[in-house]
Amino acid sequence: MAESQTMLNTNNYEQRRHKHSWTNIAFTTFGVIWLIISFYPVLYILMSSLREQNGFLTGSPTWLPTIHPTFSNYLTVLQAGFVHFFFNSLIVSVLSVIFTVAFSLFLAYVIVRSRSRMVRIIFNIFLIGLALPIQAAIIPVYVLITKMGLYDSLGGLVLPSIAFGIPLTLLFLVNFVRDIPNELYESMGIEGASDFKILFHLVTPLALPSIISIAIYQFILAWNNFLFPLVLTQSDNVKVLPLAVVQFQGEHTMDIPVTMAAVTLSALPLLIAYIFGGRFIRRGMMAGFGK
Amino acid sequence: MLGTRMNWQRWVMVLPALVFFVVFALVPMCVAVYYSGLSWDGITDPIWVGMKNWVTVFKDGEAWQSTWLTIELMGLCWITQCPLSLVLGVFMAGKQKHRTVFSIFYFIPLLFSAAAIGVTWSYILNPNFGLVNAILKAIGIGNGNENWLGNPHLALFIVSLIIAWQFVPFNSLLFQGGAKQIPESLYEAARIDGAGPFRIFFSITLPQLKYTIVTASVLILTGTLTYFDLIYVLTGGGPGSATQVLAMDMYKQAFINNDLGMGSVMAIILAVFGLVLSLLILKFTGFNRMDSQKEGM
């Protein structure tokens, strides 16, 4: 009796497995459809950037790659000053990330190590900064930067970027610094190490993977930031890539291939980084969840 | 020996972050309240006009409309992103080789700036030579000249779809992580009990992802609230004011109409909205990023 029951169950199970394959096919189809939806536009950008403007609007179907690819669009974009804009973006992003992460790490260490009431209040202030949309402060920030004489300068972009990046970075780093066992601090403390020494020789090496993750996340945000450059800069001299792409489109409204080349170049560093270190970038993206 | 007391070294470590945040975020936030009572173009001397800006934006309905559009966009973004991210996340959590390979491609849109994405999609959706119309015409749907972003009834919805295009993979990372933590034994037990795949999804996967859904929803809603770049590039708030959400309205008033007072009114509405949203999330879900924080203190 018990045996036949088991048999029945096994049969049932086999049947179910068979049915599962149908849902598997449906699931895979979903995956393929999303692959097309998410990747085809990217492919379209690359394909269009290699076309000639001549005949783009009237010629052969534009959803296929061209038989006669040309790099002349990229040349046009580079000649429009994109190398300069690239370095502007790089300077702003690198400086913002270094200071955001360093300042956040300092504060995270003190928040974890200290029981002071003041420090707790300070931490809560930063947490409120996560609940409030700080973009709402952009108008006074614009006035402040102008009054400091930093309007239309790279420094004027870096300073508020650091401030806006701190809350999430801090929250993320506090989570990791807190996981460092107390015994490790104590053993170093007994040897008479100072706070700075503990931070640089104990905390930083241990938290390095998470520091890198959050740095990657903040770098992508800084690299793609649009509101600050839009509001705080004006001249070509300090233009960063996202702003350059939009203005480039404005100047070449009907010239799609050349604009697509500009789009490609603006994302190229991140695309190359993704090809070689995709795993780190995906882990960095997870840092954006604050956990 | 180092204890839990503050010393000068620790204050030195606290100061840079605190000073930057106070000077470039916290104080400006408070100053915006003052600015909202000014008539000021940013160049000539500001004139204090009290509540006049506030009365104007609420009387002519602009504030209500922008707030409503923001809520609408948040709703649209949630509906398009949350279910898709969940299914995609569960898909990505699978161990099959092709799923891992697909996942690599799913993330590529995240590497582009919203500005670059806006530029690209404005071409893809162009009524005259855009890819979408060309494809629709080729397969015989419509007459092939729909002006997607120029249609006030469609524009906001289209914007939400493009936001989804970029951010679904981001949110699905969260669901992928959540789905990987569901114990395999639960699935096996369900299969042995003869549960079908849909039953398994609705009685195991979905309930197990409860908290992930809450987290993802919070991220989608708070993220959409301040969403600006893509709208600026795609529609500039138009057609008419069909996509003029709060962040867009704030920018337009302050930096296109050069009315810093009016812009600040919009900024305050945005800030209050954000705060109310955070409080509501806290009240109704018991979840917030801070709670888990404080537990450890």
Side-chain angles (χ1 to χ4, degrees), chain B residues 146-180:
Chain B
E146 177 65 53
N147 189 355
W148 301 99
L149 294 166
N151 182 338
H153 300 291
L154 281 177
L156 197 67
F157 179 60
I158 302 285
V159 166
S160 78
L161 289 184
I162 299 172
I163 299 176
W165 179 76
Q166 187 178 24
F167 282 103
V168 161
F170 181 66
N171 300 320
S172 60
L173 265 179
L174 208 59
F175 286 110
Q176 183 190 26
K180 273 186 174 162

Side-chain angles (χ1 to χ4, degrees), chain B residues 8-282:
Chain B
W8 69 268
Q9 282 196 343
R10 288 183 178 180
W11 282 116
V12 169
M13 291 180 181
V14 169
L15 272 181
L18 187 64
V19 168
F20 264 83
F21 189 67
V22 168
V23 172
F24 291 104
L26 209 60
V27 169
M29 195 71 110
C30 304
V31 170
V33 179
Y34 165 69
Y35 281 2
S36 75
L38 296 180
S39 170
W40 190 25
D41 59 7
I43 302 158
T44 52
D45 284 341
I47 303 161
W48 176 256
V49 292
M51 297 301 283
K52 186 170 157 274
N53 293 332
W54 286 90
V55 173
T56 313
V57 288
F58 279 102
K59 227 180 184 175
D60 71 10
E62 189 183 326
W64 297 118
Q65 207 216 354
S66 304
T67 309
W68 175 244
L69 280 173
T70 308
I71 295 172
E72 218 175 304
L73 185 65
M74 285 162 68
L76 285 170
C77 280
W78 190 84
I79 290 170
T80 47
Q81 285 180 44
C82 203
L84 265 175
S85 311
L86 195 153
V87 179
L88 199 68
V90 173
F91 176 80
M92 281 160 39
K95 291 183 187 71
Q96 293 88 331
K97 184 86 185 149
H98 68 270
R99 296 193 182 181
T100 320
V101 176
F102 283 12
S103 312
I104 294 172
F105 286 94
Y106 292 154
F107 289 104
I108 294 175
L110 279 171
L111 304 174
F112 289 84
S113 65
I117 286 172
V119 167
T120 305
W121 281 92
S122 70
Y123 283 139
I124 295 180
L125 293 167
N126 187 288
N128 301 316
F129 48 79
L131 190 65
V132 169
N133 278 344
I135 289 175
L136 287 180
K137 201 176 176 188
I139 57 176
I141 300 174
N143 50 10
N145 54 14
E146 177 65 53
N147 189 355
W148 301 99
L149 294 166
N151 182 338
H153 300 291
L154 281 177
L156 197 67
F157 179 60
I158 302 285
V159 166
S160 78
L161 289 184
I162 299 172
I163 299 176
W165 179 76
Q166 187 178 24
F167 282 103
V168 161
F170 181 66
N171 300 320
S172 60
L173 265 179
L174 208 59
F175 286 110
Q176 183 190 26
K180 273 186 174 162
Q181 281 176 0
I182 303 174
E184 186 59 29
S185 58
L186 283 180
Y187 288 116
E188 255 153 39
R191 277 192 212 112
I192 288 164
D193 286 347
F198 286 100
R199 184 75 201 283
I200 288 178
F201 180 79
F202 284 106
S203 32
I204 295 176
T205 312
L206 212 53
Q208 289 282 321
L209 289 176
K210 198 166 57 187
Y211 295 106
T212 318
I213 293 171
V214 174
T215 313
S217 304
V218 170
L219 286 175
I220 292 169
L221 295 180
T222 51
T224 312
L225 180 64
T226 52
Y227 210 73
F228 169 80
D229 315 5
L230 190 79
I231 301 174
Y232 174 88
V233 176
L234 272 179
T235 66
S241 52
T243 55
Q244 190 150 305
V245 292
L246 281 169
M248 189 67 220
D249 203 352
M250 170 183 81
Y251 174 81
K252 250 187 171 168
Q253 288 284 12
F255 299 106
I256 293 179
N257 302 346
N258 291 321
D259 191 337
L260 299 192
M262 285 287 225
S264 297
V265 171
M266 290 302 162
I268 301 301
I269 297 175
L270 185 64
V272 171
F273 194 160
L275 206 58
V276 170
L277 183 70
S278 299
L279 291 175
L280 284 178
I281 289 166
L282 211 146

